[in-house]
Amino acid sequence: MPGDKSISHRALILGTLAVGETRIEGLLEGEDVLATAECMRRLGARVNRLDDGSWRVWGVGVGGLREPAEPLDFGNSGTGARLVMGLVAGHPITATFVGDASLSRRPMGRVINPLTEMGAYFHARDGGKLPLTLTGARPALPISYTSPVASAQVKSAILLAGLNAPGKTTVIEATPTRDHTERMLRAFGAEIEAKEGPGGLVEIRLTGQPELSPCPITVPGDPSSAAFPVVAALLTPGSEIVVKGITLNPHRAGLYTTLIEMGADIEVMNQRDEGGEPVADLRVRSSRLKGVDVPPARAASMIDEYPVLAIAAAFAEGETRMLGIHELRVKESDRIAATASGLRANGIKVHESEDGMVVEGRGGDVAGGGRIATHMDHRIAMSFLIMGLAAQKPITVDDASMIATSFPDFIGLMRGLGASFAGQAQ
Ligand code: S3P
């Protein structure tokens, strides 16, 4: 599996804040992460890929960022843009953030608000959209912030700004989100603690202005990318695959829990700890699935996997209810709308609400034959290509180019498993 996208961004960013050389193995070489690598160079780090495929970052230390001469271009990546806003907000420099049409539609107010409280100044388009110019605080103020959205990007932006603030920065989350930033900060020597409070609240507290020391990083496989071959194997009769070395961090594993509840034959093997993240291999065999109610409390741990879950749900027996997922409306596309209209184009009934969707499964009998508008969204493209594998007629997506943002070898890997693609797929 390709390297985990979330961990890859963070490895480059923390490598930039450490003093000295950070070695990274297994970095995801997707467009999103390559955009972050280029931005780290513009902020003063030396970032190189070696011939053996590993990467090196020579960091400048907390407080040592250079003001970039050119805009920072994050392409399609909300994670890159929002995390680096946090990074820049803690430094007395000015930088302009730009992205593609999809990223320029996404809300940035969720990071602008707390980072403004920390002393940063933003000049953004109406409604807090890219392109925007950010002048960092001098110095950043440590704050205590209760995030109104369940978002690891917001949490991480505040923690990254808090790294250069004198004192303790606290983020309080009502729903816990992926904790890769916290794990990696700890590995680089920062003082950071997470405490569970009443009602499941999590309080994360970081002590500012640490000296971060480089720590070698091995990026595990991405469970969000693995979701595509896993669902493909479940839906395609006679399949059996083994997916190796993906992180099953509890804040990322919600899809796998849900698929097992649906009756999926998924065996979790060789559970181990690699570089501070829980990692495992999965053996997956094609299965008859049944519809389930996905608990809204699970949403954060599978937030990127709902489109492909909806594909599995279309082939299941009975209804699958996915609620409490309003955040999907502000991802690379409005994923509730894009998924629902794609399913309908392939003969599936879907009931869409403001914060969710209910898919009426057809117990394997899926017509297919539809043409999908992907809206510059890699996960919509991959989800419907997977649907095409098991549907009666092939499914067409209008644009496969965005797949390279997170899973550059998706077509090659799926071909290796027996899938056939026609058209402009490489
Ligand atoms: C990510 C967090 C999630 C997720 C995104 C990656 C991260 O976004 O959808 O693909 O690496 O922190 P939110 O934190 O905004 O939910």
Side-chain angles (χ1 to χ4, degrees):
M1 282 298 112
D4 187 76
K5 182 153 70 74
S6 293
I7 295 174
S8 295
H9 283 294
R10 287 157 171 82
L12 293 167
I13 293 171
L14 291 195
T16 295
L17 288 178
V19 180
E21 179 190 286
T22 296
R23 299 152 173 257
I24 310 172
E25 305 283 339
L27 188 86
L28 169 66
E29 295 179 352
E31 287 169 2
D32 280 11
V33 174
L34 297 178
T36 293
E38 182 53 29
C39 293
M40 294 304 102
R41 290 187 187 109
R42 290 188 180 181
L43 289 165
R46 200 142 60 84
V47 184
N48 285 345
R49 181 187 197 275
L50 306 191
D51 291 342
D52 64 2
S54 68
W55 286 68
R56 298 283 182 278
V57 181
W58 287 271
V60 294
V62 172
L65 292 188
R66 180 175 78 200
E67 184 160 283
E70 289 163 53
L72 303 176
D73 186 349
F74 291 93
N76 192 246
S77 176
T79 307
R82 295 192 179 112
L83 266 55
V84 176
M85 281 182 207
L87 182 70
V88 170
H91 285 74
I93 58 173
T94 295
T96 296
F97 290 69
V98 300
D100 70 10
S102 154
L103 185 56
S104 304
R105 281 192 291 269
R106 298 179 65 184
M108 296 298 154
R110 54 185 57 202
V111 285
I112 293 177
N113 294 338
L115 296 177
T116 302
E117 271 186 44
M118 296 178 86
Y121 176 77
F122 288 82
H123 185 75
R125 271 204 303 129
D126 266 2
K129 305 271 172 72
L130 258 51
L132 62 75
T133 297
L134 157 56
T135 299
R138 43 180 93 216
L141 307 170
I143 59 168
S144 175
Y145 192 75
T146 303
S147 182
V149 274
S151 166
Q153 294 179 0
V154 173
K155 170 176 65 179
S156 302
I158 297 167
L159 294 175
L160 289 169
L163 277 175
N164 202 22
K168 293 197 193 266
T169 295
T170 306
V171 182
I172 299 161
E173 294 192 295
T175 310
T177 62
R178 65 191 69 191
D179 60 355
H180 308 304
T181 304
E182 296 92 302
R183 286 172 188 258
M184 208 181 282
L185 276 171
R186 224 168 267 133
F188 276 71
E191 204 181 305
I192 180 163
E193 54 190 51
K195 271 198 324 228
E196 259 198 51
L201 282 184
V202 181
E203 187 178 302
I204 300 122
R205 186 169 294 203
L206 168 76
T207 304
Q209 298 181 322
E211 171 133 348
L212 297 182
S213 322
C215 169
I217 296 172
T218 301
V219 180
D222 193 323
S224 302
S225 297
F228 300 106
V230 165
V231 171
L234 289 173
L235 301 183
T236 313
S239 303
E240 175 175 334
I241 63 167
V242 175
V243 169
K244 287 199 167 155
I246 62 164
T247 176
L248 281 191
N249 178 312
H251 301 297
R252 297 291 299 282
L255 172 77
Y256 298 98
T257 307
T258 305
L259 289 171
I260 290 168
E261 285 174 5
M262 292 172 84
D265 182 348
I266 298 179
E267 198 183 325
V268 180
M269 306 182 300
N270 301 328
Q271 285 181 276
R272 56 206 187 261
D273 188 278
E274 274 180 14
E277 291 280 350
V279 167
D281 306 333
L282 303 179
R283 182 187 301 281
V284 184
R285 298 185 184 89
S286 44
S287 309
R288 287 174 73 90
L289 302 179
K290 58 179 189 325
V292 292
D293 277 8
V294 186
R298 197 180 286 160
S301 69
M302 53 180 291
I303 195 69
D304 293 330
E305 282 69 78
Y306 282 92
V308 77
L309 175 65
I311 303 302
F315 288 85
E317 202 89 55
E319 271 183 11
T320 296
R321 299 162 61 78
M322 298 166 246
L323 302 174
I325 54 172
H326 187 268
E327 272 296 298
L328 263 70
R329 296 211 180 267
V330 291
K331 294 294 179 188
E332 286 84 330
S333 69
D334 175 343
R335 286 186 173 158
I336 297 180
T339 304
S341 77
L343 288 174
R344 286 189 195 111
N346 290 292
I348 306 296
K349 287 199 180 125
V350 191
H351 310 277
E352 185 184 336
S353 61
E354 191 41 38
D355 84 330
M357 57 190 158
V358 178
V359 175
E360 285 189 24
R362 296 195 42 94
D365 167 32
V366 171
R371 183 182 165 85
I372 307 301
T374 52
H375 301 285
M376 302 183 76
D377 190 329
H378 53 135
R379 298 200 199 279
I380 296 296
M382 288 186 276
S383 297
F384 283 96
L385 290 171
I386 295 302
M387 186 177 206
L389 278 179
Q392 282 146 21
K393 294 198 205 110
I395 292 177
T396 305
V397 301
D398 64 353
D399 177 11
S401 65
M402 302 313 287
I403 293 173
T405 60
S406 67
F407 199 158
D409 193 31
F410 171 77
I411 301 279
L413 184 128
M414 293 307 301
R415 276 201 173 121
L417 293 174
S420 97
F421 297 88
Q424 286 168 344
Q426 298 93 42

